[in-house]
Amino acid sequence: MSHITPEFKLISEWIQPNSRVLDLGCGDGQLLQHLITTYGVTGYGMEIDSAKNIQAIEKGLNVIHSDLNSHDLCDYFDKDSFDYVIMTQALQIVSRPDELLEDMLATGKQIIITFPNFGHWRNRAQLLFKGHMPRTDTLPYHWYDTPNIHMCTFNDFEALCEEKGIEVVARTVVNVAHRKTLGMSIAPNWLGEVALYKVQKKTA
Amino acid sequence: MTTELGVITPQTLHIESPLLLSSGLILPRYDLTYETYGQLNASASNGILICHALSGDHHVAGLDANNKPGWWNEYIGPGKPIDTNQFFVVCSNNLGGCHGSTGPATLNPDTGKVYGPDFPIVTCRDWVNSQNELRKHLGIDQWAALIGGSMGGMQVLQWAIDYPDKLKHAIVIAAAPKLSAQNIAFNEVARRAIMTDPDFHEGRFLEHNTIPKQGLAQARMLGHLTYLSDDMMGAKFGRERRKEELQYNYEVEFQVESYLRYQGEKFATTQNFDANTYLLMTKALDYFDPASEFEHDLSKTLALATAKFFVVAFTTDWRFSPARSHEIVKALLDNDADVSYAEIGSEHGHDAFLLPNDHYEGVFRAYMQRVICDMPSQDTKLSTAPKAEK
């Protein structure tokens, strides 16, 4: 079995074997390949980057080269086509995360999403004490060259879920090394660096 | 490392079994001219059929007798994306063509004269049926892959629908599931240019020892124009003029006019392309609409296909734009089919499918690895690389 990142390992634990998966921003296809070989899932990856696209095709994956900023998911997939729609570390780079979230919920029964927490104390401290946009291991960019155009905190994300009638089924908050600490479970929005969410539409 | 194939000698298959055409007419016997590259392995599992575009022919790779490289030589050969050390690659001149296969310019055995306009109009399906005879002749039960661009891509789709168990992979490049009104309109203008040429003689120009050069040249100018992108023409020619001073006449003023005239002239005088074949190929394109047999539902149509698909489009292609490839991809996704899609950034318009491009070559190489992986394992490694065919 190929080596996978701790984040992908955590996601894998949420996936039922033999389910149908769509991986948005699948990169070189590492997660999807792992899910296929280990859990017998079927499905597709979507990726905009040409070089990663080639790597994903090399892995024998079904990968659709697409820009999610100019195409809707429903241009490709019918309602409830997948058991899971996954998007790792990409929500904050799309032009309208709220709309994409709705699209994902229409396409998949559950969605799994991971993103960096802008509310982490280091980010807050840099802004508060230095008066600069934060630069950390999780967010290494300058304000002017960052692809992360829609940063949010865990609280922001959960507020959006509440507003859109989205139920949080599971949440894991970890540090940049993808480890959990006691502090993170007490004050996740202060101490958590990365969050993994599994959400679905609220049943009426 | 890539090497060249060397000089390739075309072969001709005489097919004696009658072919029932889409039009209802029957072609009692016909020839298919084709070239092959690489070696068929023991279990005949490494066969690849390349389908050519409108003005293409069977000479896709290597050199012909006049040392002219094939139209896709960049992509086919030892060590190239379609690696002839791995695959046995076949390309045939379409029925109705004018480079060896039976067509309007060949002799009608019943009359002893060239067919000319009496050659029946054939369709994509007829091409596929005729190529299926070639498949049997070569002893290939199932192609490892079918590959085609533009009109060739449509043929690949037709193969996947009509003979689903005869191909493992379908690679459809810069194609569309059917022509749009605009596509048909361009074809019609090209046909009118040819048919209104005084040298056309109702299609019997060869009997009059002439060819409708002007018409062919104009058809080609129009066609060529639709294969290029606006940006690229702008970059290449802009408003550059032949002479510094404006001439205020109807001679060539702008370089782009000169270029188009040259392209048309070259096609009409040196390519030896039969005008009736040009008419026939454009008609076959117009008629192509496999979904018309399935309530115009492309998803239902492609439900018949069992091949794995790789669909490729080019950003500046407006003849068969990425949106047209999307239609194919969407229909395949509706069927939960195995499909990958790549949209290649290129400034070269529709022509990009024939040109070198890093991303294009990269995805192609990657996908062909997958084709190899899907071949029975004992055949994936040929003991020695076949030598260039001299």
Side-chain angles (χ1 to χ4, degrees), chain A residues 20 44 50-51 53-54 57-58 60-66 71 74-78, chain B residues 310 326 329-330 332-334 336-343 359 362-363 366-367 370:
Chain A
R20 273 188 76 67
Y44 302 94
S50 313
N53 206 239
I54 293 171
I57 289 177
E58 264 164 7
L61 302 171
N62 290 323
V63 51
I64 310 293
H65 186 221
S66 176
H71 288 289
C74 41
D75 292 346
Y76 296 95
F77 303 106
D78 294 336
Chain B
F310 181 39
H326 263 239
V329 171
K330 172 75 173 86
L332 291 165
L333 290 173
D334 285 344
D336 297 339
D338 279 303
V339 53
S340 286
Y341 169 69
E343 195 167 304
H359 182 200
V363 287
Y367 197 84
R370 184 167 171 178

Side-chain angles (χ1 to χ4, degrees), chain A residues 89 92 114-124 134 136 138-139 151-157 173-174 184 187-195 197:
Chain A
Q89 305 286 343
Q92 72 280 3
T114 74
F115 58 88
N117 177 25
F118 202 71
H120 186 263
W121 70 267
R122 261 195 220 98
N123 297 335
R124 299 192 199 197
T136 62
T138 348
L139 301 168
M151 291 303 306
C152 67
T153 69
F154 299 165
N155 289 354
D156 288 329
F157 181 76
V173 174
V174 292
M184 278 179 228
N189 204 36
W190 277 98
L191 301 174
E193 285 172 287
V194 175
Y197 279 91

Side-chain angles (χ1 to χ4, degrees), chain B residues 1-12:
Chain B
M1 209 193 77
T2 66
T3 51
E4 294 301 323
L5 281 161
V7 175
I8 306 290
T9 309
Q11 305 166 67
T12 297

Side-chain angles (χ1 to χ4, degrees), chain B residues 222-346:
Chain B
L222 177 75
H224 194 79
L225 179 60
T226 67
Y227 305 149
L228 305 176
S229 71
D230 190 16
D231 285 351
M232 208 212 83
M233 287 182 86
K236 198 165 171 179
F237 306 107
R239 292 180 55 83
E240 198 182 320
R241 291 198 300 269
R242 265 239 175 126
K243 293 179 182 151
E244 201 139 315
E245 294 294 310
L246 288 173
Q247 301 299 301
Y248 295 104
N249 63 24
Y250 295 104
E251 299 306 309
V252 168
E253 188 90 71
F254 294 95
Q255 287 295 6
V256 65
E257 297 173 283
S258 163
Y259 170 80
L260 269 187
R261 284 192 193 191
Y262 168 76
Q263 289 296 332
E265 184 78 11
K266 189 175 81 169
F267 183 74
T269 56
T270 67
Q271 306 282 91
N272 207 13
F273 203 92
D274 182 68
N276 285 315
T277 288
Y278 203 97
L279 299 179
L280 179 148
M281 297 279 176
T282 58
K283 280 307 261 192
L285 277 167
D286 292 358
Y287 288 135
F288 178 72
D289 183 10
S292 63
E293 293 170 34
F294 300 89
E295 297 154 1
H296 297 279
D297 184 336
L298 188 63
S299 303
K300 259 187 205 168
T301 315
L302 287 174
L304 295 176
T306 53
K308 296 175 180 177
F309 277 80
F310 181 39
V311 180
V312 183
F314 298 88
T315 49
T316 54
D317 183 354
W318 56 279
R319 180 85 187 220
F320 298 125
S321 69
R324 309 307 312 278
S325 287
H326 263 239
E327 294 172 34
I328 300 169
V329 171
K330 172 75 173 86
L332 291 165
L333 290 173
D334 285 344
N335 288 299
D336 297 339
D338 279 303
V339 53
S340 286
Y341 169 69
E343 195 167 304
I344 312 291
S346 167

